[in-house]
């Protein structure tokens, strides 16, 4: 299998394993807060992906949310999020996924996201246009059948997906830029899985996305797919926090400006 086929197979198998384990009964354990939880399915799905990558790509590095950390010799690293949206997953929501990315020194090369209960698989990277269940995405492309030309749509006309933990709203250094960006959009959506959100930015179901302090496993898979769909992505530091942005070129530019307007110095 090539890298894309491998990534697709791994997220599909990891997501299916997690779903089967949830159906058999699971309990969660808090990590940093009541909404930041982990289950045995997270660990089992990551262990499965780790085993397959060590067999199929023995020279590559591996980094996983639940602790996988393998140093490779190839200069490439696979980044694993076995269950993104674990709080949703644990509470019976369908809005969770398994995600994986491949990166090297130049940046992210590919991403794959599988949402099992919706049977949605997004895939894309630097050498392959983004797809949803094998169908090419045309969200950001003018002149294509079904293309929306969303690259130039202003933020004020778009729904924005985001996430902010309630405790961060008490911190003006975070709340001020978030509020500036949030009030610039036509509407807000907060679903609780960044990778699912970013897949929907790529396919046009969500207009744009912003969130602060994303680890690589919450950002790289979706970033790769949005870029492969012809969209834009950016990172901006405001008040000591890194904010991650994705969408059309105009929306990302306007999100950046809105966040920067919340700077205290």
């Amino acid at each position: 299998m090539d890298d894309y086929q491998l990534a697709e197979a791994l997220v599909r198998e990891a997501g299916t394993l997690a779903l089967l384990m949830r159906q058999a009964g699971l309990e969660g354990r808090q990590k940093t807060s009541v909404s930041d939880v982990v289950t045995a399915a997270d660990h089992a799905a990551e262990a499965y992906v780790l085993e397959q990558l060590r067999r199929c790509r023995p020279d590559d590095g591996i980094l996983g949310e639940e602790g996988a950390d393998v140093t490779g010799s190839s200069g490439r690293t696979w980044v694993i999020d076995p269950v993104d949206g674990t709080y949703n997953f644990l509470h019976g929501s369908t809005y969770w996924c398994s995600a994986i990315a491949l990166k090297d020194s130049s940046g992210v090369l590919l991403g794959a996201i599988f949402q099992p209960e919706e049977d949605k698989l997004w895939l894309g990277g630097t050498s392959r246009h983004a797809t949803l269940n094998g169908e090419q995405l045309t969200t950001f492309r003018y002149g294509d059948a079904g293309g929306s030309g969303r690259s130039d749509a202003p933020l004020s006309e778009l729904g924005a997906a985001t996430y902010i933990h309630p405790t961060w709203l008490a911190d003006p250094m975070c709340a001020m830029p978030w509020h500036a960006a949030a009030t610039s959009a036509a509407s807000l959506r907060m679903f609780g899985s960044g990778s699912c959100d970013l897949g929907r930015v790529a396919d046009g179901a969500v207009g744009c996305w912003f969130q602060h302090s994303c680890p690589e496993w919450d950002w790289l898979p979706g970033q790769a797919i949005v870029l492969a769909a012809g969209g834009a992505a950016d990172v901006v530091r405001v008040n000591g926090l890194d904010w991650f942005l994705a969408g059309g070129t105009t929306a990302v530019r306007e999100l950046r400006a809105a966040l920067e307007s919340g700077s205290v110095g």
Side-chain angles (χ1 to χ4, degrees):
M1 292 188 289
D2 66 22
D3 290 331
Y4 290 91
Q5 292 169 325
L6 179 59
E8 178 177 356
L10 290 175
V11 291
R12 191 179 293 280
E13 291 161 6
T16 301
L17 172 60
L19 179 58
L20 290 172
M21 290 184 68
R22 189 184 73 179
Q23 291 171 341
L26 283 173
E27 293 184 358
R29 175 179 59 80
Q30 286 188 30
K31 291 162 67 172
T32 62
S33 71
V34 70
S35 61
D36 182 17
V37 292
V38 65
T39 72
D42 296 73
H43 290 293
E46 181 164 301
Y48 173 81
V49 175
L50 174 63
E51 178 185 1
Q52 297 307 313
L53 285 173
R54 297 191 77 170
R55 180 175 63 86
C56 297
R57 299 291 189 273
D59 297 328
D60 291 350
I62 306 168
L63 176 66
E65 180 181 11
E66 306 308 333
D69 190 0
V70 176
T71 300
S73 59
S74 67
R76 310 188 328 159
T77 300
W78 295 85
V79 181
I80 309 166
D81 195 347
V83 178
D84 180 45
T86 302
Y87 186 81
N88 292 346
F89 171 76
L90 186 60
H91 289 82
S93 168
T94 65
Y95 206 81
W96 62 275
C97 65
S98 293
I100 194 167
L102 176 62
K103 67 172 186 171
D104 66 8
S105 60
S106 68
V108 65
L109 301 175
L110 67 82
I113 298 167
F114 178 53
Q115 190 177 351
E117 294 182 89
E118 301 290 335
D119 191 28
K120 293 179 181 291
L121 198 151
W122 296 269
L123 181 68
T126 55
S127 61
R128 184 175 300 186
H129 194 80
T131 58
L132 170 58
N133 294 344
E135 296 294 324
Q136 183 168 305
L137 299 177
T138 60
T139 306
F140 301 105
R141 299 181 66 178
Y142 290 101
D144 290 351
S148 68
R150 191 171 281 183
S151 286
D152 287 334
L155 179 57
S156 61
E157 296 179 3
L158 298 175
T162 185
Y163 179 78
I164 186 169
H165 193 275
T167 57
W168 282 101
L169 288 173
D171 181 353
M173 301 290 278
C174 179
M176 289 173 63
W178 183 87
H179 183 269
T183 56
S184 298
S187 64
L188 288 182
R189 300 290 183 265
M190 195 177 300
F191 299 116
S193 168
S195 287
C196 287
D197 291 345
L198 287 163
R200 284 168 170 78
V201 171
D203 70 29
V206 171
C208 58
W209 177 91
F210 67 101
Q211 186 174 324
H212 74 84
S213 307
C214 292
E216 288 186 304
W217 45 78
D218 284 340
W219 170 238
L220 293 182
Q223 179 197 18
I225 294 165
V226 170
L227 293 176
D234 197 5
V235 182
V236 59
R237 192 164 184 84
V238 182
N239 298 341
L241 294 173
D242 288 328
W243 292 86
F244 297 77
L245 325 173
T249 52
T250 297
V252 167
R253 184 177 67 250
E254 292 178 350
L255 277 171
R256 182 186 182 106
L259 289 163
E260 290 176 331
S261 75
S263 173
V264 297

